Amino acid sequence: MSDSQPTLDAITLSIMARALAGIAEEMGAVLIRGAYSSNIKERRDCSAALTDANGRMICQAEHIPVHLGAMQDSVLAVIEKNPVPGDVFMLNDPFAGGNHLPDITLVSPITLAEDDDAGESEIVAYAVTRAHHSDIGGMRPGSMPADSREIYQEGLVIPPVRLVAAGVDNDEIMSIVLANVRTPDVRRGDLRAQLAANRRAGVRLRELAAQRGEPTLRAAFTDVLAYTERWTRHVIAELPDGVYRAESEIEGDGVTLDDIPIRVAVTVEGDALHIDFTGTADAVAGNVNCPLTVTRAACYFALRTLLPADVPGNAGAYAPVSLHAPEGSFVNAQRPAAVVAGNVETSQRLTDTVLLALGQATEVPAQGQGTMNNLIIGGADWSYYETLGGGQGASRVGPGASGRHVGMTNTLNTPIEAFELEYPMRVARYELAYDTGGDGQHRGGDGFYRDIEVLALATLSLISDRRRHGPAGRNGGAPGQPGENRLNDELLPAKASRQLEPGDVISVRTPGGGGWGEADKR
């Protein structure tokens, strides 16, 4: 257990933890309400959090796991640049605190002085927003090419730079970004929404300090981390000591269709957890490679699923976890490896594999769809991006949900009305794919069909997985059915790029979830 002792009583700590989480939730609401792109304002593909002055996450909104688990690295990268009050840093470099290029992160120092540009005032926290921008340049519209071979093909790489310097907008940086994207007006609007969300965090944190007192606020930062760490260590300590191993695969990298092996050994020792990916494949030519920050986020999320739902999500949960990912492997890729699919697809499978190992020590559900089914279509001046839900794995308590985002994603769909209003495309079919969930005492959830007819010349990028290997069932439950991608009558592989003509129809059937228990016991 942690040696740190609480300085706040339990009631005050509970109030402060929820107040801090409320700030993060309000940040997200401001960002979603102010965004221009449907990917953020409709699908909510964005996240918000606060860290302390040392970069430790103290609270987060209930947003995207792959964003949130990697945010600390972004703040640490900014701290190295010696930020001052009034700065706002922007970054997306996966090898310098980001996760993949479309996810742009803004980091703002917060002081408790009324004037946010107060020169020498002490930085007490950082506001962080991360949003998926549906184009950031690169070789194909949407900036998620299925066939990229190095990161420079995936878009504009932004190291930590000042978008705002001591309260003054850096228009030259903004102009460089907008000159490299296909949808500059939308990008400008989305970045302004992120700036507004970060500003709101500063206002609310100062109000909280005024209401409760600065000493209480500072104590809450420390105590909420210690509380989560104590809970996490307690949950780990309840697991039997031992080494638990599991294997899985990624179905090709966009260059070849060969399975890419993932191997993990999870060691439980007392109240600590060590996760070792020795034996996992080396970095590959395609873009399913993971920067270490994404691998770390996947491991954190797998552990977080074992904690009670009311335990605050923060860096305290990370303290008992150590990680070994061999440098140069495809779960610790080095520049200039292509990584755009590692963030969305490999992260899903890493979570699945770690949970498969932990399932030997504790009860976990059957596997969910295990893919984000990334669908990217765009032209010279428009870009559509969506991740598609599928089947959730069944568990001891009941069947899996159908048509859900599972694992490292937590977004909504793009409503058909918004979709057809914004893009030169039409939704031809959108319905559940019945009986794609695995059979069992409790059935896995079903995937669905999403068929889209394009009405203009366009480029397609499809980045998916679980097209050959269905999600595994548990306790005798059957696996879920793999998904399927088609362009008209052509069966497409899991990762594919194509040129589209008006009238072409892209059909994606997403995987079902695994079943739980033997079917004859239903």
Side-chain angles (χ1 to χ4, degrees), residues 428-506:
R429 177 168 61 161
Y430 190 27
E431 62 186 49
L432 289 177
Y434 292 106
D435 297 324
T436 51
D439 200 4
Q441 181 180 348
H442 296 140
R443 290 191 60 89
D446 292 325
F448 60 68
Y449 291 96
R450 182 82 150 168
D451 290 10
I452 293 174
E453 180 184 0
V454 297
L455 306 177
L457 292 171
T459 297
L460 166 71
S461 294
L462 256 172
I463 300 176
S464 60
D465 215 79
R466 294 286 198 203
R467 270 32 185 187
R468 293 195 297 267
H469 306 285
R474 282 192 66 81
N475 290 11
Q481 289 188 23
E484 183 179 274
N485 305 328
R486 287 189 176 274
L487 172 56
N488 301 322
D489 295 326
E490 179 190 0
L491 182 65
L492 297 178
K495 288 86 178 169
S497 293
R498 297 287 189 277
Q499 294 301 121
L500 302 178
E501 301 287 337
D504 284 343
V505 176
I506 302 98

Side-chain angles (χ1 to χ4, degrees), residues 174-188:
M174 179 70 85
S175 67
I176 290 173
V177 174
L178 299 183
N180 281 276
V181 302
R182 296 171 178 86
T183 51
D185 291 340
V186 178
R187 298 285 69 75
R188 181 188 288 110

Side-chain angles (χ1 to χ4, degrees), residues 179-476:
N180 281 276
V181 302
R182 296 171 178 86
T183 51
D185 291 340
V186 178
R187 298 285 69 75
R188 181 188 288 110
D190 286 350
L191 286 169
R192 285 176 173 172
Q194 286 185 253
L195 286 166
N198 283 22
R199 284 195 296 271
R200 182 64 59 89
V203 171
R204 292 293 186 249
L205 198 66
R206 285 188 285 275
E207 289 177 351
L208 184 59
Q211 292 167 0
R212 293 285 174 174
E214 184 176 336
T216 298
L217 179 67
R218 292 178 181 272
F221 286 0
T222 301
D223 286 5
V224 73
L225 294 174
Y227 176 78
T228 295
E229 181 180 345
R230 288 195 299 273
W231 252 113
T232 305
R233 290 190 182 278
H234 170 72
V235 168
I236 295 172
E238 292 292 304
L239 303 176
D241 282 2
V243 180
Y244 306 98
R245 302 180 187 277
E247 298 184 5
S248 188
E249 71 290 313
I250 289 289
E251 298 175 348
D253 65 347
V255 177
T256 75
L257 299 178
D258 297 341
D259 286 346
I260 304 164
I262 299 171
R263 295 186 177 92
V264 67
V266 179
T267 301
V268 178
E269 186 174 357
D271 62 359
L273 204 67
H274 179 65
I275 302 173
D276 187 351
F277 287 99
T278 297
T280 293
D282 291 338
V284 295
N287 58 24
V288 298
N289 302 294
C290 262
L292 184 59
T293 185
V294 172
T295 298
R296 191 180 291 124
C299 295
Y300 291 157
F301 175 69
L303 175 60
R304 183 66 179 90
T305 64
L306 304 184
L307 300 180
D310 61 350
V311 173
N314 59 49
Y318 311 159
V321 182
S322 58
L323 172 67
H324 175 67
E327 187 171 315
S329 67
F330 95 112
V331 294
N332 186 1
Q334 307 297 303
R335 190 187 302 273
V339 298
V340 71
N343 181 68
V344 289
E345 292 305 304
T346 308
S347 69
Q348 289 277 68
R349 192 53 48 80
L350 295 179
T351 299
D352 279 356
T353 312
V354 172
L355 285 173
L356 193 63
L358 287 170
Q360 300 165 39
T362 188
E363 181 66 38
V364 300
Q367 290 184 337
Q369 67 161 346
T371 175
M372 295 193 196
N373 304 294
N374 303 267
L375 180 57
I376 309 100
I377 306 172
D381 58 357
W382 61 278
S383 180
Y384 154 76
Y385 171 66
E386 186 165 16
T387 58
L388 304 178
Q392 192 172 49
S395 69
R396 182 184 296 277
V397 299
S402 298
R404 287 287 184 90
H405 286 268
V406 177
M408 296 294 280
T409 179
N410 185 31
T411 60
L412 303 179
N413 71 336
T414 304
I416 293 173
E417 298 84 354
F419 178 95
E420 295 185 346
L421 181 66
E422 187 164 343
Y423 306 111
M425 298 188 289
R426 182 174 70 88
V427 176
R429 177 168 61 161
Y430 190 27
E431 62 186 49
L432 289 177
Y434 292 106
D435 297 324
T436 51
D439 200 4
Q441 181 180 348
H442 296 140
R443 290 191 60 89
D446 292 325
F448 60 68
Y449 291 96
R450 182 82 150 168
D451 290 10
I452 293 174
E453 180 184 0
V454 297
L455 306 177
L457 292 171
T459 297
L460 166 71
S461 294
L462 256 172
I463 300 176
S464 60
D465 215 79
R466 294 286 198 203
R467 270 32 185 187
R468 293 195 297 267
H469 306 285
R474 282 192 66 81
N475 290 11

